[in-house]
Amino acid sequence: MPKILIIEDEPELVKVLRSYLEKSRFDVLTAYRGDTGLSTWENERPDLVLLDLNLPGLDGLDVAREIRRKSDTPIIMLTARVEETDQLIGLELGADDYVTKPFSPRVVAAKVRAVLRRSEAAPTPARILRVADLEIDLDAHTVTRAGETLDLTPTEFALLATMAASPGRAFSRMRLLEAAQGAAFEGYERTIDAHIKNLRAKLEADPKNPQYIETVFGVGYRFVRQ
Ligand code: CA
């Protein structure tokens, strides 16, 4: 059963929604404050959140922002008519839909079903970059060329992933140095050259005549645009 979290401070409303959603075969969790709602979300990871805007503890918009910062959990905002501007802000913050009070629980349940259907149908964005016979898996941190796994160091991987994500864009050595910081890079700008040299030796059929990573004179390097 899909788990729905209701964060709403009007007990009467919570009661009505809960009973209708439970009858519609949802598993229902409730919170009456923004801050406790957020920690319930953290602990329970519900499939969808019904979120009131004006809440004690932590404002509904802040709750939405915090959830969106960490996950794609669908959010439906529960708003009063006077809060029209806030509805728009809520949607900008990544809420999936909203219902205006007063509402019938039947309408809320229908929206819940629609949003859940939509979020299940949405494909997870590809985190794999493919260029010619090169395949860079950003999640698995693996690189293959023509199906063969290449053995890259974390720094080399960070450099390659940064450049390959924006083919055709020139990266300064300073920018590449920043990108490599995540891979615990130590050293000066010029040592990027050494990493690029090693990267090319592994990546390129002919490192002297690179087909993937080009030198941009006076700037740095770029991953070729196909
Ligand atoms: Ca309220």
Side-chain angles (χ1 to χ4, degrees):
M1 279 202 294
K3 212 193 278 183
I4 312 294
L5 170 61
I6 304 171
I7 309 177
E8 164 67 67
D9 61 336
E10 289 166 59
E12 212 33 54
L13 212 55
V14 174
K15 208 172 123 194
V16 171
L17 277 178
R18 175 203 275 279
S19 95
Y20 195 90
L21 288 171
E22 282 177 347
K23 264 186 257 158
S24 313
R25 308 195 56 73
F26 290 109
D27 190 2
V28 180
L29 303 162
T30 56
Y32 298 89
R33 297 171 52 92
D35 47 358
T36 56
L38 192 57
S39 50
T40 306
W41 173 79
E42 289 267 13
N43 297 328
E44 302 283 344
R45 293 293 167 145
D47 298 292
L48 184 143
V49 180
L50 285 172
L51 179 62
D52 182 27
L53 267 181
N54 290 319
L55 287 164
L58 189 64
D59 187 60
L61 290 178
D62 290 329
V63 174
R65 194 177 290 124
E66 199 55 26
I67 291 176
R68 199 43 85 243
R69 205 166 61 79
K70 295 175 181 168
S71 83
D72 298 327
T73 309
I75 300 171
I76 297 178
M77 308 291 287
L78 307 173
T79 70
R81 198 165 289 282
V82 287
E83 296 166 329
E84 217 156 351
T85 338
D86 289 344
Q87 290 173 0
L88 297 174
I89 297 168
L91 291 176
E92 263 169 39
L93 276 179
D96 297 85
D97 207 341
Y98 63 88
V99 262
T100 307
K101 297 173 186 177
F103 44 69
S104 83
R106 191 181 54 78
V107 168
V108 176
K111 291 230 181 203
V112 166
R113 270 188 227 101
V115 169
L116 281 177
R117 250 198 321 273
R118 218 156 62 207
S119 77
E120 277 158 20
T124 36
R127 298 260 300 154
I128 294 178
L129 301 171
R130 287 193 187 83
V131 185
D133 58 355
L134 216 54
E135 193 174 288
I136 305 164
D137 189 324
L138 297 174
D139 293 317
H141 274 237
T142 54
V143 181
T144 58
R145 190 184 57 204
E148 292 223 20
T149 304
L150 303 179
D151 186 21
L152 303 187
T153 66
T155 300
E156 290 162 359
F157 183 85
L159 294 175
L160 178 64
T162 300
M163 289 186 291
S166 307
R169 177 180 157 192
F171 289 89
S172 67
R173 289 185 177 80
M174 194 50 102
R175 177 67 194 86
L176 291 175
L177 195 62
E178 279 166 26
Q181 294 292 353
F185 183 80
E186 291 168 23
Y188 301 101
E189 234 182 298
R190 282 283 153 185
T191 57
I192 286 291
D193 296 351
H195 286 292
I196 293 288
K197 188 164 172 259
N198 294 339
L199 199 46
R200 277 176 174 160
K202 294 175 183 180
L203 225 58
E204 307 282 359
D206 176 10
K208 295 251 177 275
N209 189 14
Q211 105 185 73
Y212 294 116
I213 300 173
E214 296 172 337
T215 303
V216 185
F217 290 103
V219 180
Y221 299 94
R222 75 165 153 247
F223 197 84
V224 289
R225 200 199 301 268
Q226 291 294 304

